[in-house]
Amino acid sequence: MLALAEKPSVGILISGQGSNMLSILQDAERPDAPYTVRLVAADRSAPGLALAKARGVPTLLLDRKSPSFEEDLLQAVASCDLVVLAGFLSILPPKLVRAFKGRILNIHPSLLPAHGGRGMYGKKVHAAVLAQGDLISGCTVHWVEEGVDTGAILAKAKVLVLREDTPETLGARILPLEHWLLVAALRQIAEERMKR
Ligand code: GAR
């Protein structure tokens, strides 16, 4: 009899409200999800942790200011096959990036390589898009490598920037696209892993 390939396990790292995390947790509950979520870890007291706990997912609160933070992070995800950065604001230790080469995904709220890099997150990204007068924005899922927001791009989704947009309205239009794109990319990667 052919052994069924095991679903890859996913560790999700968050720093904030965790809406991208929640879209993954909801998807993971579907019987056809090609992955399981092993844990949700945060680098600060993030509201998203309570959402994960409420769904029965193991959670871990790490202290990004602790001298052992990098080691704690490494240990937290050590047993995961894939890691998803879902609004995670700490820079990953190079040791972790190297150990998980080709296994860490990030979602970014712009069309990379535009408006990425150190310090570019959340509302700041949308403000930069508006300041530049871009006509199109969106979100990007990419592999994580040692540079910030520089890894190979897996998928993008686009929205039109409206004349009356503020960073808030633009961000609010992009966020649901992020939820969809991140889950779609994660599913595809997990399915590919199961075929190996
Ligand atoms: C999302 O918009 C995500 O793309 C962004 O933080 C937000 C987290 O929201 N990430 C970055 O800007 C990373 N550079 P969430 O906690 O509701 O998922």
Side-chain angles (χ1 to χ4, degrees):
M1 210 166 58
L2 212 62
L4 283 177
E6 215 171 290
K7 293 181 181 187
S9 62
V10 177
I12 307 175
L13 302 182
I14 64 168
S15 299
Q17 59 176 353
S19 70
N20 278 288
M21 169 212 75
L22 190 59
S23 75
I24 296 174
L25 297 188
Q26 285 165 342
D27 185 59
E29 287 169 7
R30 301 203 168 104
D32 69 341
Y35 60 90
T36 57
V37 177
R38 175 152 298 165
L39 97 155
V40 172
D43 63 348
R44 64 199 74 193
S45 107
L49 279 182
L51 297 178
K53 245 185 225 160
R55 301 189 97 86
V57 176
T59 58
L60 195 60
L61 172 57
L62 302 173
D63 175 4
R64 67 188 191 283
K65 293 182 183 143
S66 155
S68 63
F69 174 62
E70 296 199 345
E71 212 38 57
D72 297 343
L73 193 57
L74 208 70
Q75 269 188 23
V77 297
S79 63
C80 299
D81 298 310
L82 295 167
V83 174
V84 177
L85 309 186
F88 189 65
L89 299 182
S90 291
I91 304 287
L92 292 187
K95 193 173 161 191
L96 173 58
V97 177
R98 282 195 291 271
F100 276 78
K101 190 173 170 9
R103 295 193 287 143
I104 310 176
L105 291 176
N106 182 42
I107 177 87
H108 185 80
S110 75
L111 298 174
L112 289 175
H115 310 298
R118 209 173 269 266
M120 290 300 278
Y121 60 87
K123 222 187 287 177
K124 284 190 190 175
V125 177
H126 307 304
V129 168
L130 296 178
Q132 182 125 323
D134 294 354
L135 298 178
I136 298 175
S137 190
C139 51
T140 305
V141 176
H142 65 95
W143 289 118
V144 172
E145 57 172 42
E146 281 184 48
V148 178
D149 298 330
T150 53
I153 289 172
L154 286 154
K156 287 183 184 180
K158 297 179 182 176
V159 297
L160 287 177
V161 178
L162 306 177
R163 201 186 300 266
E164 63 271 23
D165 264 331
T166 63
E168 288 77 14
T169 60
L170 181 58
R173 232 171 27 264
I174 292 174
L175 195 59
L177 274 186
E178 294 188 34
H179 300 159
W180 171 83
L181 192 71
L182 184 56
V183 163
L186 179 57
R187 274 189 171 243
Q188 196 169 334
I189 286 156
E191 275 160 16
E192 287 300 322
R193 281 187 73 89
M194 284 204 294
K195 282 187 210 150
R196 283 189 203 159

